[in-house]
Amino acid sequence: MRSLLALFAAAVPAFASAQPVSVTFPNPLSRSRNYYMNAQSAPIIIRADRIVDGKGNVIQGGDVVVENGKIVRIDKTASGTPTYDLKGYTLLPGLIDAHAHLSWYFNRQGRYHTRADGDTPVESMLSMAANAYATLMAGFTTIQSPGDPEDKDLREWIASGGVPGPSVLTSLSPFNNERMEPDTLRALVRQRKTQGADVIKIFASKSIRDGGAQTMSDAQLSALCGEAKAQGMRTMVHAHSSESIKASVNAGCNQIEHGVFANDEVLKLMADKGVYFDPQVCLVFRNYLDNRAKYEGIGNYNEAGFAAMEKALPLAAAMYKRAIHTPGLKVIFGTDAVAGAHGRNAEELVCRVKDGGQSPLDAITSATSLTAESMHLGNEIGAIALGLQADIIAVRGDPTKDITTLRNVQFVMKGGKVYKNER
Ligand SMILES: [Zn+2]
């Protein structure tokens, strides 16, 4: 007993000295890094045929060295004994999805879960954890959820290492009430910050299933995005029609989601104002169409809604081509993954290349460093670079030649910890 106590007493200062890591709230990555920093680890050497660094560069051969959850060295000439010798593989930064709804799932009756289907909170939370796990196994090490109040618990449990999943950023409940006064909206933005939201999510237009026209007024958008800016918070806005995009950009909002009906004028406007654009080419629409029986008859998942999504597919691909050719427009990566799509997020990368005409390297840069930058996390994640968090994945072959290799991510490291090694 005495020696046990002595051992424990000796251990305390060691833990205390491992603690001083800057934590800037709200930042889920700082929280997760804090967890890994407690375990001092020997250097991990990962060797592969090539490294796609997430910033548009491809390094042939070499080692990535990881220590205490961070990338500490990139050796262009392989030396030393590798911990992981990934011959035939390419290393990439962990992928980032700016728009995924982990709380959406199919219930045990094989139907889209709604609040009225009788599922318990436990069943819902287990489904969320399963979605998070599937997403991490697919190579996505950070996601942003816009949003659900339950995200917060999942975010904390993943960050503390208790549940395997990608780092989660969340808006908590989104803003979609078109009848609220601007002052009420401002107060609710401040409340969302207090509740621990990482970002403010706003609906400025109807769903694609209902035509996508503007819903929030210019005054309401100004109140929401203006107050968020005053509070130091980012804003992401669901907007399909050109008028709703224009209103959101002019209100000072930071990021536009979807934009199926975006014309050249608003694409240029977003570029001029430095607003991030997060369009989708296929996965979200195809996933609904492929899983039609599971959604059909709930809310606007009806005949007209499915017809609208069918029509959106070619429109979205054509709009995406115009978006990536708009000079200066920062096109980031978000899938709008819902029930049925979790773990298949990379399908959106495949169709950005195949249907949207983007080069694989540009698509990868978008889904790594550019999306990290949109989250104000460019100094922490989104690249294989010195000092960044060791979120590293590997695929067999060369994803810059064949984007479909990303359908089969076989190695996943997050924060220096290996979660998957299935080679
Ligand atoms: Zn969404």
Side-chain angles (χ1 to χ4, degrees):
M1 189 65 191
R2 184 180 298 248
S3 61
L4 249 182
L5 274 175
L7 193 71
F8 181 70
V12 169
F15 273 102
S17 67
Q19 284 295 329
V21 176
S22 71
V23 177
T24 44
F25 185 81
N27 181 345
L29 297 175
S30 298
R31 287 192 286 272
S32 63
R33 208 177 43 191
N34 216 11
Y35 168 78
Y36 293 115
M37 286 298 282
N38 283 337
Q40 298 288 322
S41 60
I44 300 166
I45 301 173
I46 312 167
R47 183 170 299 165
D49 284 12
R50 68 189 68 72
I51 301 163
V52 175
D53 77 347
K55 297 203 158 192
N57 308 302
V58 181
I59 301 158
Q60 296 300 332
D63 292 349
V64 177
V65 184
V66 171
E67 221 167 325
N68 299 321
K70 283 191 167 190
I71 296 163
V72 295
R73 218 164 56 242
I74 299 163
D75 286 339
K76 292 196 176 139
T77 50
S79 58
T81 309
T83 320
Y84 298 97
D85 194 354
L86 309 184
K87 194 159 176 47
Y89 284 75
T90 300
L91 301 182
L92 305 95
L95 300 168
I96 304 175
D97 190 334
H99 193 136
H101 298 279
L102 293 178
S103 64
W104 289 42
Y105 67 93
F106 296 130
N107 62 25
R108 293 289 145 142
Q109 291 74 50
R111 295 277 285 163
Y112 163 52
H113 161 70
T114 65
R115 301 240 178 233
D117 69 0
D119 268 16
T120 64
V122 173
E123 286 172 310
S124 294
M125 193 42 96
L126 285 170
S127 302
M128 277 180 89
N131 288 341
Y133 184 70
T135 305
L136 180 65
M137 290 300 103
F140 285 77
T141 49
T142 302
I143 68 108
Q144 182 162 255
S145 167
D148 201 303
E150 277 86 37
D151 291 337
K152 188 178 172 179
D153 291 313
L154 185 64
R155 177 184 75 184
E156 305 303 327
W157 277 80
I158 290 173
S160 66
V163 172
S167 297
V168 174
L169 286 83
T170 175
S171 70
L172 304 177
S173 292
F175 288 86
N176 55 11
N177 189 324
E178 302 144 35
R179 290 172 303 281
M180 281 183 179
E181 292 298 322
D183 278 344
T184 312
L185 292 170
R186 283 194 198 92
L188 285 172
V189 167
R190 294 192 292 274
Q191 184 193 65
R192 207 64 90 244
K193 184 182 183 182
T194 312
Q195 290 167 337
D198 301 293
V199 59
I200 298 293
K201 165 75 186 294
I202 301 155
F203 283 85
S205 89
K206 289 185 177 173
S207 153
I208 191 76
R209 291 176 292 284
D210 298 317
Q214 186 172 343
T215 50
M216 290 270 188
S217 71
D218 295 3
Q220 288 169 317
L221 289 169
S222 290
L224 287 163
C225 292
E227 186 63 30
K229 188 168 279 177
Q231 298 297 323
M233 296 189 78
R234 297 179 294 114
T235 40
M236 57 192 293
V237 184
H238 164 115
H240 277 296
S241 67
S242 286
E243 51 152 6
S244 62
I245 294 171
K246 194 172 178 176
S248 304
V249 173
N250 288 333
C253 308
N254 302 117
Q255 182 173 317
I256 302 295
E257 306 297 305
H258 317 312
V260 166
F261 304 115
N263 61 24
D264 290 345
E265 183 200 345
V266 297
L267 292 175
K268 185 176 182 310
L269 181 68
M270 284 188 275
D272 289 347
K273 299 278 168 117
V275 168
Y276 294 97
F277 185 38
D278 179 20
Q280 291 77 39
V281 175
C282 73
L283 175 62
V284 61
F285 310 114
R286 282 194 197 144
N287 179 67
Y288 281 131
L289 294 165
D290 292 347
N291 290 293
R292 182 167 180 159
K294 296 174 179 170
Y295 286 99
E296 185 108 57
I298 299 169
N300 59 13
Y301 297 100
N302 51 33
E303 194 74 42
F306 282 102
M309 292 193 284
E310 199 118 32
K311 268 199 235 154
L313 271 166
L315 287 177
M319 177 275 294
Y320 192 79
K321 284 181 188 155
R322 287 187 287 115
I324 59 172
H325 290 112
T326 302
L329 180 57
K330 293 187 272 194
V331 178
I332 60 163
F333 184 79
T335 61
D336 203 1
V338 291
H342 302 294
R344 298 195 300 123
N345 312 56
E347 290 303 320
E348 176 69 19
L349 277 170
V350 173
C351 60
R352 282 181 172 209
V353 171
K354 295 207 160 172
D355 306 333
Q358 194 167 30
S359 78
L361 190 58
D362 285 352
I364 291 166
T365 302
S366 169
T368 51
S369 64
L370 196 59
T371 300
E373 180 197 301
S374 76
M375 296 168 164
H376 296 176
L377 294 172
N379 293 326
E380 300 189 46
I381 56 168
I384 296 185
L386 291 189
L388 266 63
Q389 182 165 303
D391 293 354
I392 298 168
I393 64 168
V395 294
R396 192 162 182 77
D398 184 354
T400 68
K401 296 210 167 67
D402 178 5
I403 195 73
T404 66
T405 54
L406 285 167
R407 282 177 173 152
N408 191 14
V409 171
Q410 286 165 284
F411 177 90
V412 178
M413 169 184 273
K414 183 187 156 216
K417 182 173 171 176
V418 175
Y419 284 88
K420 183 180 190 180
N421 185 15
E422 291 179 0
R423 291 172 294 127

PDB file of all heavy atoms in Angstrom, residues 24-46:
ATOM      1  N   THR A  24      -7.921  27.247 -26.352  1.00  0.00           N
ATOM      2  CA  THR A  24      -8.738  28.410 -26.686  1.00  0.00           C
ATOM      3  C   THR A  24     -10.146  27.933 -26.963  1.00  0.00           C
ATOM      4  O   THR A  24     -10.391  27.279 -27.952  1.00  0.00           O
ATOM      5  CB  THR A  24      -8.184  29.146 -27.924  1.00  0.00           C
ATOM      6  OG1 THR A  24      -7.847  28.160 -28.903  1.00  0.00           O
ATOM      7  CG2 THR A  24      -6.964  29.955 -27.580  1.00  0.00           C
ATOM      8  N   PHE A  25     -11.043  28.216 -26.087  1.00  0.00           N
ATOM      9  CA  PHE A  25     -12.431  27.785 -26.235  1.00  0.00           C
ATOM     10  C   PHE A  25     -13.157  28.747 -27.161  1.00  0.00           C
ATOM     11  O   PHE A  25     -12.950  29.944 -27.065  1.00  0.00           O
ATOM     12  CB  PHE A  25     -13.106  27.783 -24.871  1.00  0.00           C
ATOM     13  CG  PHE A  25     -14.503  27.246 -24.911  1.00  0.00           C
ATOM     14  CD1 PHE A  25     -14.723  25.877 -24.910  1.00  0.00           C
ATOM     15  CD2 PHE A  25     -15.583  28.106 -24.996  1.00  0.00           C
ATOM     16  CE1 PHE A  25     -16.002  25.382 -24.961  1.00  0.00           C
ATOM     17  CE2 PHE A  25     -16.863  27.612 -25.059  1.00  0.00           C
ATOM     18  CZ  PHE A  25     -17.075  26.240 -25.033  1.00  0.00           C
ATOM     19  N   PRO A  26     -14.020  28.324 -28.095  1.00  0.00           N
ATOM     20  CA  PRO A  26     -14.288  26.928 -28.361  1.00  0.00           C
ATOM     21  C   PRO A  26     -13.436  26.409 -29.503  1.00  0.00           C
ATOM     22  O   PRO A  26     -13.486  26.932 -30.582  1.00  0.00           O
ATOM     23  CB  PRO A  26     -15.761  26.947 -28.772  1.00  0.00           C
ATOM     24  CG  PRO A  26     -15.990  28.314 -29.349  1.00  0.00           C
ATOM     25  CD  PRO A  26     -14.911  29.227 -28.813  1.00  0.00           C
ATOM     26  N   ASN A  27     -12.674  25.393 -29.239  1.00  0.00           N
ATOM     27  CA  ASN A  27     -11.874  24.757 -30.274  1.00  0.00           C
ATOM     28  C   ASN A  27     -11.712  23.285 -29.938  1.00  0.00           C
ATOM     29  O   ASN A  27     -10.899  22.913 -29.109  1.00  0.00           O
ATOM     30  CB  ASN A  27     -10.502  25.429 -30.379  1.00  0.00           C
ATOM     31  CG  ASN A  27      -9.652  24.808 -31.457  1.00  0.00           C
ATOM     32  OD1 ASN A  27      -9.946  23.712 -31.941  1.00  0.00           O
ATOM     33  ND2 ASN A  27      -8.590  25.490 -31.823  1.00  0.00           N
ATOM     34  N   PRO A  28     -12.531  22.426 -30.574  1.00  0.00           N
ATOM     35  CA  PRO A  28     -12.525  21.002 -30.229  1.00  0.00           C
ATOM     36  C   PRO A  28     -11.180  20.346 -30.485  1.00  0.00           C
ATOM     37  O   PRO A  28     -10.850  19.334 -29.887  1.00  0.00           O
ATOM     38  CB  PRO A  28     -13.603  20.413 -31.141  1.00  0.00           C
ATOM     39  CG  PRO A  28     -13.848  21.418 -32.201  1.00  0.00           C
ATOM     40  CD  PRO A  28     -13.478  22.752 -31.633  1.00  0.00           C
ATOM     41  N   LEU A  29     -10.375  20.917 -31.378  1.00  0.00           N
ATOM     42  CA  LEU A  29      -9.073  20.303 -31.651  1.00  0.00           C
ATOM     43  C   LEU A  29      -8.133  20.487 -30.479  1.00  0.00           C
ATOM     44  O   LEU A  29      -7.369  19.600 -30.135  1.00  0.00           O
ATOM     45  CB  LEU A  29      -8.469  20.910 -32.916  1.00  0.00           C
ATOM     46  CG  LEU A  29      -9.295  20.646 -34.161  1.00  0.00           C
ATOM     47  CD1 LEU A  29      -8.702  21.375 -35.335  1.00  0.00           C
ATOM     48  CD2 LEU A  29      -9.388  19.166 -34.442  1.00  0.00           C
ATOM     49  N   SER A  30      -8.174  21.652 -29.857  1.00  0.00           N
ATOM     50  CA  SER A  30      -7.337  21.871 -28.682  1.00  0.00           C
ATOM     51  C   SER A  30      -7.702  20.877 -27.596  1.00  0.00           C
ATOM     52  O   SER A  30      -6.837  20.340 -26.927  1.00  0.00           O
ATOM     53  CB  SER A  30      -7.540  23.293 -28.140  1.00  0.00           C
ATOM     54  OG  SER A  30      -7.159  24.217 -29.109  1.00  0.00           O
ATOM     55  N   ARG A  31      -8.988  20.639 -27.467  1.00  0.00           N
ATOM     56  CA  ARG A  31      -9.422  19.686 -26.444  1.00  0.00           C
ATOM     57  C   ARG A  31      -8.872  18.296 -26.746  1.00  0.00           C
ATOM     58  O   ARG A  31      -8.374  17.616 -25.872  1.00  0.00           O
ATOM     59  CB  ARG A  31     -10.956  19.648 -26.382  1.00  0.00           C
ATOM     60  CG  ARG A  31     -11.550  20.880 -25.744  1.00  0.00           C
ATOM     61  CD  ARG A  31     -13.021  20.666 -25.445  1.00  0.00           C
ATOM     62  NE  ARG A  31     -13.841  20.698 -26.637  1.00  0.00           N
ATOM     63  CZ  ARG A  31     -14.368  21.804 -27.148  1.00  0.00           C
ATOM     64  NH1 ARG A  31     -14.168  22.957 -26.562  1.00  0.00           N
ATOM     65  NH2 ARG A  31     -15.094  21.770 -28.225  1.00  0.00           N
ATOM     66  N   SER A  32      -8.938  17.886 -28.019  1.00  0.00           N
ATOM     67  CA  SER A  32      -8.496  16.529 -28.322  1.00  0.00           C
ATOM     68  C   SER A  32      -6.978  16.422 -28.193  1.00  0.00           C
ATOM     69  O   SER A  32      -6.452  15.436 -27.731  1.00  0.00           O
ATOM     70  CB  SER A  32      -8.948  16.109 -29.721  1.00  0.00           C
ATOM     71  OG  SER A  32      -8.368  16.917 -30.699  1.00  0.00           O
ATOM     72  N   ARG A  33      -6.274  17.483 -28.596  1.00  0.00           N
ATOM     73  CA  ARG A  33      -4.821  17.433 -28.517  1.00  0.00           C
ATOM     74  C   ARG A  33      -4.384  17.343 -27.062  1.00  0.00           C
ATOM     75  O   ARG A  33      -3.450  16.662 -26.721  1.00  0.00           O
ATOM     76  CB  ARG A  33      -4.233  18.673 -29.175  1.00  0.00           C
ATOM     77  CG  ARG A  33      -2.860  18.424 -29.747  1.00  0.00           C
ATOM     78  CD  ARG A  33      -2.372  19.640 -30.447  1.00  0.00           C
ATOM     79  NE  ARG A  33      -2.661  20.805 -29.662  1.00  0.00           N
ATOM     80  CZ  ARG A  33      -2.536  22.041 -30.096  1.00  0.00           C
ATOM     81  NH1 ARG A  33      -2.162  22.262 -31.314  1.00  0.00           N
ATOM     82  NH2 ARG A  33      -2.808  23.063 -29.332  1.00  0.00           N
ATOM     83  N   ASN A  34      -5.111  18.045 -26.231  1.00  0.00           N
ATOM     84  CA  ASN A  34      -4.839  18.008 -24.808  1.00  0.00           C
ATOM     85  C   ASN A  34      -4.833  16.577 -24.291  1.00  0.00           C
ATOM     86  O   ASN A  34      -3.970  16.182 -23.523  1.00  0.00           O
ATOM     87  CB  ASN A  34      -5.935  18.802 -24.085  1.00  0.00           C
ATOM     88  CG  ASN A  34      -5.373  19.532 -22.898  1.00  0.00           C
ATOM     89  OD1 ASN A  34      -4.174  19.611 -22.732  1.00  0.00           O
ATOM     90  ND2 ASN A  34      -6.251  20.071 -22.076  1.00  0.00           N
ATOM     91  N   TYR A  35      -5.776  15.791 -24.753  1.00  0.00           N
ATOM     92  CA  TYR A  35      -5.891  14.406 -24.319  1.00  0.00           C
ATOM     93  C   TYR A  35      -4.643  13.618 -24.710  1.00  0.00           C
ATOM     94  O   TYR A  35      -4.055  12.914 -23.912  1.00  0.00           O
ATOM     95  CB  TYR A  35      -7.133  13.782 -24.945  1.00  0.00           C
ATOM     96  CG  TYR A  35      -7.205  12.290 -24.796  1.00  0.00           C
ATOM     97  CD1 TYR A  35      -7.597  11.727 -23.583  1.00  0.00           C
ATOM     98  CD2 TYR A  35      -6.867  11.446 -25.848  1.00  0.00           C
ATOM     99  CE1 TYR A  35      -7.654  10.366 -23.436  1.00  0.00           C
ATOM    100  CE2 TYR A  35      -6.927  10.086 -25.696  1.00  0.00           C
ATOM    101  CZ  TYR A  35      -7.322   9.542 -24.496  1.00  0.00           C
ATOM    102  OH  TYR A  35      -7.377   8.185 -24.351  1.00  0.00           O
ATOM    103  N   TYR A  36      -4.237  13.759 -25.965  1.00  0.00           N
ATOM    104  CA  TYR A  36      -3.091  12.972 -26.419  1.00  0.00           C
ATOM    105  C   TYR A  36      -1.776  13.469 -25.834  1.00  0.00           C
ATOM    106  O   TYR A  36      -0.834  12.716 -25.693  1.00  0.00           O
ATOM    107  CB  TYR A  36      -3.019  12.977 -27.955  1.00  0.00           C
ATOM    108  CG  TYR A  36      -4.175  12.250 -28.557  1.00  0.00           C
ATOM    109  CD1 TYR A  36      -5.115  12.913 -29.316  1.00  0.00           C
ATOM    110  CD2 TYR A  36      -4.350  10.889 -28.302  1.00  0.00           C
ATOM    111  CE1 TYR A  36      -6.201  12.234 -29.841  1.00  0.00           C
ATOM    112  CE2 TYR A  36      -5.437  10.209 -28.819  1.00  0.00           C
ATOM    113  CZ  TYR A  36      -6.356  10.885 -29.589  1.00  0.00           C
ATOM    114  OH  TYR A  36      -7.418  10.233 -30.093  1.00  0.00           O
ATOM    115  N   MET A  37      -1.705  14.748 -25.516  1.00  0.00           N
ATOM    116  CA  MET A  37      -0.469  15.303 -24.981  1.00  0.00           C
ATOM    117  C   MET A  37      -0.093  14.672 -23.641  1.00  0.00           C
ATOM    118  O   MET A  37       1.057  14.716 -23.247  1.00  0.00           O
ATOM    119  CB  MET A  37      -0.598  16.821 -24.795  1.00  0.00           C
ATOM    120  CG  MET A  37      -0.563  17.610 -26.091  1.00  0.00           C
ATOM    121  SD  MET A  37       0.983  17.433 -26.976  1.00  0.00           S
ATOM    122  CE  MET A  37       2.025  18.542 -26.011  1.00  0.00           C
ATOM    123  N   ASN A  38      -1.063  14.093 -22.956  1.00  0.00           N
ATOM    124  CA  ASN A  38      -0.759  13.482 -21.669  1.00  0.00           C
ATOM    125  C   ASN A  38       0.114  12.238 -21.823  1.00  0.00           C
ATOM    126  O   ASN A  38       0.807  11.852 -20.906  1.00  0.00           O
ATOM    127  CB  ASN A  38      -2.050  13.120 -20.936  1.00  0.00           C
ATOM    128  CG  ASN A  38      -2.666  14.362 -20.329  1.00  0.00           C
ATOM    129  OD1 ASN A  38      -1.978  15.342 -20.082  1.00  0.00           O
ATOM    130  ND2 ASN A  38      -3.969  14.325 -20.112  1.00  0.00           N
ATOM    131  N   ALA A  39       0.044  11.618 -23.005  1.00  0.00           N
ATOM    132  CA  ALA A  39       0.838  10.416 -23.218  1.00  0.00           C
ATOM    133  C   ALA A  39       2.066  10.774 -24.051  1.00  0.00           C
ATOM    134  O   ALA A  39       1.971  11.027 -25.228  1.00  0.00           O
ATOM    135  CB  ALA A  39      -0.011   9.369 -23.925  1.00  0.00           C
ATOM    136  N   GLN A  40       3.220  10.831 -23.387  1.00  0.00           N
ATOM    137  CA  GLN A  40       4.469  11.055 -24.114  1.00  0.00           C
ATOM    138  C   GLN A  40       4.756   9.788 -24.915  1.00  0.00           C
ATOM    139  O   GLN A  40       4.724   8.694 -24.396  1.00  0.00           O
ATOM    140  CB  GLN A  40       5.614  11.320 -23.127  1.00  0.00           C
ATOM    141  CG  GLN A  40       5.419  12.569 -22.283  1.00  0.00           C
ATOM    142  CD  GLN A  40       5.610  13.851 -23.087  1.00  0.00           C
ATOM    143  OE1 GLN A  40       6.463  13.920 -23.941  1.00  0.00           O
ATOM    144  NE2 GLN A  40       4.795  14.846 -22.817  1.00  0.00           N
ATOM    145  N   SER A  41       5.011   9.947 -26.207  1.00  0.00           N
ATOM    146  CA  SER A  41       5.196   8.746 -27.009  1.00  0.00           C
ATOM    147  C   SER A  41       6.511   8.793 -27.768  1.00  0.00           C
ATOM    148  O   SER A  41       7.053   9.859 -28.038  1.00  0.00           O
ATOM    149  CB  SER A  41       4.038   8.607 -27.995  1.00  0.00           C
ATOM    150  OG  SER A  41       4.000   9.734 -28.853  1.00  0.00           O
ATOM    151  N   ALA A  42       7.018   7.607 -28.104  1.00  0.00           N
ATOM    152  CA  ALA A  42       8.227   7.500 -28.931  1.00  0.00           C
ATOM    153  C   ALA A  42       7.854   7.955 -30.343  1.00  0.00           C
ATOM    154  O   ALA A  42       6.701   7.860 -30.743  1.00  0.00           O
ATOM    155  CB  ALA A  42       8.704   6.059 -28.939  1.00  0.00           C
ATOM    156  N   PRO A  43       8.846   8.466 -31.108  1.00  0.00           N
ATOM    157  CA  PRO A  43       8.538   8.900 -32.466  1.00  0.00           C
ATOM    158  C   PRO A  43       7.959   7.760 -33.315  1.00  0.00           C
ATOM    159  O   PRO A  43       8.379   6.620 -33.195  1.00  0.00           O
ATOM    160  CB  PRO A  43       9.895   9.338 -33.012  1.00  0.00           C
ATOM    161  CG  PRO A  43      10.751   9.573 -31.826  1.00  0.00           C
ATOM    162  CD  PRO A  43      10.248   8.662 -30.756  1.00  0.00           C
ATOM    163  N   ILE A  44       6.977   8.096 -34.132  1.00  0.00           N
ATOM    164  CA  ILE A  44       6.376   7.137 -35.060  1.00  0.00           C
ATOM    165  C   ILE A  44       6.825   7.553 -36.461  1.00  0.00           C
ATOM    166  O   ILE A  44       6.653   8.713 -36.843  1.00  0.00           O
ATOM    167  CB  ILE A  44       4.828   7.181 -34.977  1.00  0.00           C
ATOM    168  CG1 ILE A  44       4.356   6.839 -33.567  1.00  0.00           C
ATOM    169  CG2 ILE A  44       4.195   6.255 -36.008  1.00  0.00           C
ATOM    170  CD1 ILE A  44       2.886   7.196 -33.315  1.00  0.00           C
ATOM    171  N   ILE A  45       7.411   6.600 -37.194  1.00  0.00           N
ATOM    172  CA  ILE A  45       7.864   6.908 -38.560  1.00  0.00           C
ATOM    173  C   ILE A  45       6.934   6.206 -39.547  1.00  0.00           C
ATOM    174  O   ILE A  45       6.770   4.988 -39.504  1.00  0.00           O
ATOM    175  CB  ILE A  45       9.321   6.428 -38.780  1.00  0.00           C
ATOM    176  CG1 ILE A  45      10.258   7.117 -37.771  1.00  0.00           C
ATOM    177  CG2 ILE A  45       9.766   6.695 -40.218  1.00  0.00           C
ATOM    178  CD1 ILE A  45      11.688   6.579 -37.785  1.00  0.00           C
ATOM    179  N   ILE A  46       6.309   7.007 -40.425  1.00  0.00           N
ATOM    180  CA  ILE A  46       5.432   6.439 -41.459  1.00  0.00           C
ATOM    181  C   ILE A  46       6.117   6.629 -42.802  1.00  0.00           C
ATOM    182  O   ILE A  46       6.475   7.751 -43.169  1.00  0.00           O
ATOM    183  CB  ILE A  46       4.054   7.138 -41.479  1.00  0.00           C
ATOM    184  CG1 ILE A  46       3.479   7.248 -40.066  1.00  0.00           C
ATOM    185  CG2 ILE A  46       3.082   6.389 -42.387  1.00  0.00           C
ATOM    186  CD1 ILE A  46       2.287   8.183 -39.978  1.00  0.00           C
TER     187      ILE A  46
END
